[in-house]
Amino acid sequence: MKTLLVTGGAGFIGSHVIRLFVNKYPDYHIFNLDKLTYAGNLLNLTDVENKPNYSFIKGDIVDGDFIMNLFKEHQFDGVIHLAAESHVDRSIENPMEFVMTNVIGTVNLLNAAKAVWKDNFEGKRFYHVSTDEVYGALGNEGFFTEETAYDPHSPYSASKAGSDHFVRAYHDTYGLPVIISNCSNNYGPNQFPEKLIPLFLNNIRNNQPLPVYGKGENVRDWLYVIDHAAAIDVIFHKGPDGETYNIGGHNEWKNIDLIKVLINVMDRKLGREPGTSEKLITYVTDRAGHDLRYAIDSSKLQNELGWKPSLQFEEGIEKTVDWYLNNQEWLDSTTSGDYQKYYEEMYGHR
Ligand code: NAD
Ligand code: DAU
């Protein structure tokens, strides 16, 4: 029996990682530690919540004493660390929350692992889940590789870069057995509707304006969330200590082109005339410090560990749209209360 701590498991990507590990590894006990911020939702995990190899713990990674005691109590063999403040726009409004959770929270976990594992690192692993945004922005050409120098531009990406540096420092200084991955934009079921795809699907459904930042010319490289979870599984089990792997599906889209795909699929599924919802497109003030383009070279992961994306974008978008249309209860639960206030503050004045 192995005990594994997954942080942020009630969030978007974390819930898919939990589902994969709980079902695939009945001989692991998976502890899901999550603060249940606005982005954490236990509805994401109803299908696994009663499994004997799964436990949920509500707690804050910023609380160093709590984290240290948790590690002493459970003697985890491995950590998959996803808990984070994850939305760029929120980081522009409130950078300090990002420093606290993403930097201090990560260092608390590193300190606890180091203290409890002492110098006996045999069979132990600290996996830090990071983002391609640490590399900054590309022009029209080229890709981020694992050698690309860090150049973060938003408070979010700066805090993730800081956490990556601490993880590597604990490897180089104390020999902690760490591994890091940097992934591109994820999409799929259970993503909080502040991020582009679920926000726009919800707004198309409700005939609300689609707030396109700037001219809609920024480019993102989209990966289906279940493929990210599969990559995390492969890297966690097969990647050598101290390594970094980029994860991405070579699937670049200019925002405005992607938005038109979303409109086409939604209009078809809602029985509207093709293109009806294009009238909802509303160009608004650009995001401050908006990175032009992200694109990942994941050849190291593909060549060394044999991972590759399982599906094409068109199929992933169909599945995603179906999920949001069939899960109105989930959407309603996430878009009530504080969400309305957030939306008004974020988009009311644009
Ligand atoms: P998310 O915002 O959907 O979920 C984050 C989870 O962390 C939530 O359940 C939240 O309750 C929890 N959390 C936040 N602060 C916490 C704290 N102080 N203590 C304990 N739990 C806390 O995020 P996501 O999109 O699922 O991203 C997960 C991880 O993957 C993040 O580290 C993010 O940087 C990284 N990542 C995300 C993407 C993407 O496209 N979404 C791409 C690459 C990397
Ligand atoms: O690249 C990985 C990153 O992808 C993750 O690390 C982050 O956690 C995740 O949030 C995501 O960051 P982005 O900023 O790229 O994602 P977002 O969905 O916020 O925006 C995608 C693009 O769409 C971006 O160019 C900004 C634009 N956008 C976004 C929103 C929310 C709009 O034009 N209008 C919007 O309302």
Side-chain angles (χ1 to χ4, degrees):
M1 187 64 138
K2 268 194 180 205
T3 57
L4 218 63
L5 175 69
V6 177
T7 70
F12 167 47
I13 301 168
S15 61
H16 289 279
V17 171
I18 295 263
R19 178 170 301 101
L20 175 66
F21 274 67
V22 166
N23 289 326
K24 187 170 172 183
Y25 301 108
D27 55 333
Y28 292 5
H29 196 99
I30 314 291
F31 289 88
N32 172 14
L33 170 66
D34 200 297
K35 184 183 173 183
L36 298 182
T37 68
Y38 76 93
N41 189 344
L42 290 178
L43 280 180
N44 294 345
L45 292 164
T46 46
D47 57 324
V48 294
E49 67 188 3
N50 293 323
K51 299 262 178 171
N53 65 333
Y54 170 76
S55 306
F56 175 70
I57 301 165
K58 187 170 186 305
D60 188 344
I61 58 170
V62 175
D63 182 344
D65 291 340
F66 164 74
I67 292 295
M68 189 65 79
N69 288 331
L70 193 72
F71 272 70
K72 285 183 183 154
E73 183 185 348
H74 294 289
Q75 300 285 322
F76 304 115
D77 298 301
V79 178
I80 304 182
H81 173 36
L82 296 111
E85 287 294 334
S86 68
H87 191 40
V88 173
D89 293 328
R90 287 184 192 252
S91 82
I92 295 167
E93 298 298 313
N94 190 356
M96 195 49 88
E97 275 186 23
F98 287 69
V99 175
M100 296 309 292
T101 287
N102 298 0
V103 183
I104 308 288
T106 301
V107 178
N108 281 337
L109 291 164
L110 290 165
N111 276 338
K114 172 177 167 287
V116 170
W117 293 343
K118 299 200 176 69
D119 290 327
N120 185 6
F121 295 139
E122 188 63 36
K124 305 289 193 278
R125 167 139 285 182
F126 189 108
Y127 185 150
H128 178 59
V129 175
S130 192
T131 170
D132 61 355
E133 297 200 12
V134 298
Y135 297 125
L138 294 163
N140 293 327
E141 304 285 315
F143 298 93
F144 296 135
T145 73
E146 290 80 1
E147 311 304 321
T148 304
Y150 276 30
D151 183 23
H153 297 140
S154 72
Y156 163 66
S157 53
S159 68
K160 290 297 290 187
S163 65
D164 292 13
H165 288 319
F166 270 103
V167 172
R168 291 200 181 92
Y170 273 61
H171 174 263
D172 296 350
T173 307
Y174 309 113
L176 202 75
V178 307
I179 195 153
I180 301 182
S181 59
N182 298 84
C183 188
S184 62
N185 287 62
N186 284 215
Y187 71 99
N190 308 95
Q191 187 169 30
F192 192 82
E194 63 187 351
K195 309 281 165 62
L196 179 75
I197 290 183
L199 175 70
F200 277 37
L201 294 180
N202 195 32
N203 285 11
I204 294 169
R205 185 190 171 110
N206 297 322
N207 275 309
Q208 294 297 311
L210 305 175
V212 180
Y213 297 166
K215 294 183 176 151
E217 284 178 352
N218 303 69
V219 174
R220 296 291 182 268
D221 184 354
W222 294 94
L223 182 70
Y224 195 55
V225 62
I226 287 169
D227 284 330
H228 187 186
I232 289 173
D233 179 19
V234 170
I235 294 167
F236 182 78
H237 287 100
K238 293 192 187 159
D241 282 342
E243 285 294 332
T244 297
Y245 290 93
N246 281 354
I247 312 173
H250 274 295
N251 179 40
E252 289 180 52
W253 287 84
K254 211 180 255 191
N255 288 342
I256 192 64
D257 296 336
L258 171 68
I259 290 160
K260 288 185 178 160
V261 170
L262 300 180
I263 287 171
N264 277 336
V265 177
M266 283 293 279
D267 280 349
R268 170 162 50 80
K269 295 205 186 251
L270 292 171
R272 297 178 186 165
E273 281 295 307
T276 310
S277 305
E278 286 203 15
K279 62 175 185 297
L280 300 173
I281 291 177
T282 309
Y283 290 94
V284 299
T285 312
D286 207 354
R287 173 185 278 173
H290 197 172
D291 288 332
L292 177 66
R293 173 172 167 257
Y294 304 145
I296 280 278
D297 176 350
S298 61
S299 52
K300 177 176 171 186
L301 174 60
Q302 304 213 18
N303 297 337
E304 287 185 10
L305 305 185
W307 170 89
K308 61 175 174 5
S310 69
L311 49 70
Q312 297 293 314
F313 187 60
E314 291 67 22
E315 193 186 344
I317 282 293
E318 290 278 335
K319 280 174 182 272
T320 303
V321 170
D322 286 343
W323 190 86
Y324 285 96
L325 289 177
N326 293 330
N327 285 275
Q328 195 57 40
E329 192 192 335
W330 182 93
L331 260 179
D332 290 344
S333 80
T334 56
T335 55
S336 58
D338 280 354
Y339 180 82
Q340 301 297 342
K341 196 163 145 261
Y342 160 80
Y343 198 89
E344 189 51 37
E345 279 171 12
M346 204 53 85
Y347 295 104
H349 59 280
R350 280 177 187 270

